[in-house]
């Protein structure tokens, strides 16, 4: 009888390295590692040797950078999806794409299970597992940190466990920030950030972004174009979305843009504090919003804000592969039909400052908006609106006055 297989979501870190022998010892599975490349960069170096040295039969390194950008980032940018008014969903947006690729590899290998290294305290366990259940309800999910068989409670435990299984790897017990990196952002948790009363040690912490006070003293101008809500160029150079984000990361990073310190509400019920670096994403979100101000009518803008907040919650909670998420995206996509044009802004010490927007579909009319009398609008027309909109206020005021008289 052939040995059953498990696909392990493999980062190459100590946790998922220790999980390889643990899976073989406790389940007897053949372990197939799968590392999903969402733009982690040099973090992927040397993973193949490490995975095989730890007992994996093979390692897949799957590049989903463009899929991540086109099918997860762009819909969230178009929606203006920001969780709790601050978090640009860098980790949350990547998880459904990772789950989909894990399922694809599991199907290809005929695996009976998928394993992830997310802890029982975090959001990622929910995101991974809801994604896997939605796409492959027949595949078993193994979460070691929630298993009674998992006895490793510290980095030292994991290092000792690996050594006991003949695995000597360059990991130490030194404490550092817990980070998640992809093309969109880097998140930082741990150390002084665990105490909300403490200021972040930005000199030690930041990896993508210059602290604003150390950014250049001269502003940098940037021009972007969009077609139907999708970014198409930066400073006159046409690029695919992933390359636009890379370019904006460089530009925003040197100008101190996109640093967020937030205490957020996790899905599991606890609050957590983290610092997020999202230089390119912050610029892209702001540029898109700047163009929408010209192109969308008031009623659509109001409803879209509600849908954007809802999409942020749905994404954060791992409910991407749901009918609700599909419906929200369909609405948002319909609003982007005429979000086409050019935006210009300047970056200065962490700030994004408008410097002009144009669109062939702009709803702005200088004749209507001008303080001088234009051809399209008669000031007397306002009387009807004021009468109509002011009627409820007038009636309420009259009723209050009547009540005061009767007292």
């Amino acid at each position: 009888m052939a040995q059953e297989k498990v696909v392990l979501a493999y980062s190459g870190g100590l946790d998922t390295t220790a999980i390889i022998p643990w899976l073989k010892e406790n389940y007897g599975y053949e372990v197939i590692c799968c590392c999903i490349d969402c733009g982690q960069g040099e973090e992927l170096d040397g993973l193949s040797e490490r995975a095989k040295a730890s007992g994996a039969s093979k390692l897949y390194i799957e590049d989903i950078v463009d899929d991540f950008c086109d099918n997860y980032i762009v819909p969230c940018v178009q929606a203006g999806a920001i969780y709790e008014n601050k978090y640009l969903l860098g980790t949350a947006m990547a998880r459904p794409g990772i789950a989909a690729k894990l399922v694809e590899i599991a199907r290809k290998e005929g695996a009976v299970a998928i394993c992830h290294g997310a802890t029982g305290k975090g959001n990622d366990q929910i995101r991974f597992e809801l994604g896997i259940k939605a796409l492959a309800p027949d595949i078993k999910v193994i979460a070691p940190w929630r298993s009674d068989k998992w006895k490793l409670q510290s980095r030292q435990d994991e290092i000792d466990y690996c050594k006991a299984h003949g695995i000597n790897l360059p990991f130490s017990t030194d404490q550092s920030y817990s980070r998640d990196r992809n093309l969109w952002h880097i998140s930082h948790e741990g150390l002084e950030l665990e105490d909300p009363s403490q200021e972040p040690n930005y000199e030690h912490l930041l990896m993508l972004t210059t602290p604003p006070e150390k950014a250049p003293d001269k502003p940098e101008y940037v021009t972007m174009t969009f077609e139907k809500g999708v970014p198409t160029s930066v400073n006159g150079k046409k690029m695919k979305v992933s390359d636009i984000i890379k370019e904006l990361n460089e530009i925003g990073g040197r100008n101190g843009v996109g640093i967020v310190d937030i205490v957020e509400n996790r899905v599991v019920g606890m609050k957590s504090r983290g610092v997020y670096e999202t230089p390119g994403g912050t610029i892209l979100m702001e540029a898109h919003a700047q163009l929408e101000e010209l192109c969308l009518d008031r009623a659509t803008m109001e409803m879209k804000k509600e849908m954007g907040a809802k999409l942020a919650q749905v994404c954060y909670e791992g409910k991407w592969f749901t009918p609700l998420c599909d419906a929200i995206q369909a609405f948002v996509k319909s609003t982007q039909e005429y979000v086409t044009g050019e935006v210009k802004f300047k970056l200065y010490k962490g700030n994004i400052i408008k410097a002009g927007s144009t669109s062939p579909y702009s709803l702005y009319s200088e004749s209507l908006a001008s303080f001088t009398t234009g051809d399209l609008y008669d000031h007397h027309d306002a009387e009807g609106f004021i009468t109509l909109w002011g009627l409820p206020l007038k009636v309420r005021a009259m009723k209050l006055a009547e009540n005061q008289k009767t007292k």
Side-chain angles (χ1 to χ4, degrees):
M1 184 176 176
Q3 186 179 19
E4 291 185 325
K5 299 178 181 180
V6 58
V7 170
L8 170 64
Y10 185 66
S11 69
L14 180 57
D15 286 352
T16 53
T17 297
I19 286 172
I20 296 172
W22 180 85
L23 284 168
K24 296 175 71 174
E25 185 175 83
N26 287 279
Y27 292 89
Y29 288 142
E30 175 187 348
V31 180
I32 297 166
C33 289
C34 185
C35 178
I36 313 300
D37 180 6
C38 300
Q40 297 95 303
E42 66 276 4
E43 291 182 12
L44 303 180
D45 295 345
L47 288 194
S48 181
E49 295 80 4
R50 185 177 303 169
K52 290 179 180 178
S54 304
S57 62
K58 68 174 71 171
L59 169 70
Y60 287 87
I61 296 180
E62 297 292 308
D63 184 341
I64 67 164
V65 170
D66 287 327
D67 174 57
F68 176 39
C69 292
D70 298 339
N71 297 312
Y72 302 96
I73 289 177
V74 167
C76 286
V77 171
Q78 291 178 328
I82 303 174
Y83 183 69
E84 295 187 339
N85 299 312
K86 285 188 177 182
Y87 174 41
L88 300 187
L89 300 170
T91 300
M93 288 189 298
R95 293 326 189 214
I98 292 173
K101 183 57 69 172
L102 290 171
V103 168
E104 179 185 318
I105 298 302
R107 294 296 191 205
K108 179 179 178 179
E109 289 286 343
V112 299
I114 294 173
C115 178
H116 66 77
T119 73
K121 286 186 176 182
N123 295 315
D124 280 345
Q125 58 181 334
I126 297 168
R127 295 165 181 159
F128 285 137
E129 294 183 38
L130 290 185
I132 294 166
K133 288 179 186 297
L135 299 173
D138 57 305
I139 292 180
K140 180 180 178 180
V141 177
I142 299 174
W145 282 94
R146 301 200 312 264
S147 171
D148 292 337
K149 299 177 181 180
W150 183 260
K151 307 299 183 183
L152 313 178
Q153 300 301 314
S154 68
R155 287 182 64 85
Q156 188 61 58
D157 286 348
E158 292 175 328
I159 291 170
D160 292 342
Y161 181 80
C162 286
K163 286 182 178 179
H165 288 77
I167 305 166
N168 293 299
L169 295 169
F171 295 118
S172 71
T173 57
D174 293 342
Q175 281 200 327
S176 62
Y177 295 102
S178 174
R179 291 184 167 104
D180 178 77
R181 179 172 188 168
N182 57 43
L183 183 67
W184 185 250
H185 86 160
I186 297 179
S187 66
H188 310 267
E189 294 179 333
L191 299 186
E192 80 277 1
L193 301 181
E194 293 186 342
D195 182 352
S197 71
Q198 297 298 307
E199 179 182 5
N201 182 359
Y202 287 128
E203 292 291 331
H204 181 222
L205 180 150
L206 296 176
M207 298 178 69
L208 284 177
T209 319
T210 300
E213 61 270 24
K214 293 189 175 182
D217 293 328
K218 183 179 179 181
E220 180 173 356
Y221 283 85
V222 181
T223 301
M224 292 186 66
T225 60
F226 290 81
E227 293 180 12
K228 295 187 176 183
V230 179
T232 54
S233 74
V234 177
N235 292 332
K237 184 179 179 181
K238 285 192 171 294
M239 291 179 275
K240 62 182 181 179
V241 176
S242 58
D243 288 337
I244 285 174
I245 294 171
K246 291 176 187 176
E247 182 74 10
L248 293 177
N249 276 335
E250 290 285 337
I251 296 171
R254 64 175 172 257
N255 285 284
V257 170
I259 303 168
V260 170
D261 180 355
I262 180 176
V263 175
E264 68 194 65
N265 291 291
R266 287 183 179 174
V267 182
V268 293
M270 69 181 70
K271 288 185 180 289
S272 66
R273 195 259 190 113
V275 169
Y276 297 97
E277 294 181 74
T278 321
T282 301
I283 294 171
L284 184 51
M285 281 280 197
E286 180 62 29
H288 180 266
Q290 185 175 325
L291 184 59
E292 280 193 329
E293 289 181 2
L294 285 182
C295 302
L296 296 188
D297 63 276
R298 176 185 175 185
T300 301
M301 286 277 282
E302 288 177 350
M303 182 55 68
K304 189 172 167 294
K305 285 180 181 178
E306 293 183 24
M307 292 297 99
K310 192 64 180 178
L311 182 62
Q313 181 183 356
V314 165
C315 179
Y316 189 85
E317 294 177 352
K319 299 174 182 176
W320 190 270
F321 301 114
T322 62
L324 175 58
C325 188
D326 291 343
I328 294 171
Q329 288 187 68
F331 167 80
V332 171
K333 187 175 181 179
S334 73
T335 70
Q336 301 300 293
E337 183 68 23
Y338 301 108
V339 182
T340 295
E342 180 180 279
V343 295
K344 186 177 181 182
F345 44 88
K346 60 182 177 182
L347 308 178
Y348 182 68
K349 294 188 178 297
N351 296 289
I352 304 173
I353 304 165
K354 288 183 182 180
S357 309
T358 61
S359 170
Y361 304 107
S362 174
L363 300 180
Y364 182 89
S365 169
E366 188 174 353
S367 179
L368 281 172
S370 174
F371 282 102
T372 60
T373 302
D375 297 331
L376 298 179
Y377 192 80
D378 186 331
H379 288 273
H380 294 91
D381 293 341
E383 292 180 8
F385 292 116
I386 294 171
T387 299
L388 178 61
W389 293 339
L391 184 59
L393 299 176
K394 182 177 180 180
V395 171
R396 179 176 181 274
M398 292 171 63
K399 289 290 185 181
L400 289 174
E402 290 175 6
N403 290 339
Q404 287 294 330
K405 290 179 180 179
T406 58
K407 286 184 178 179

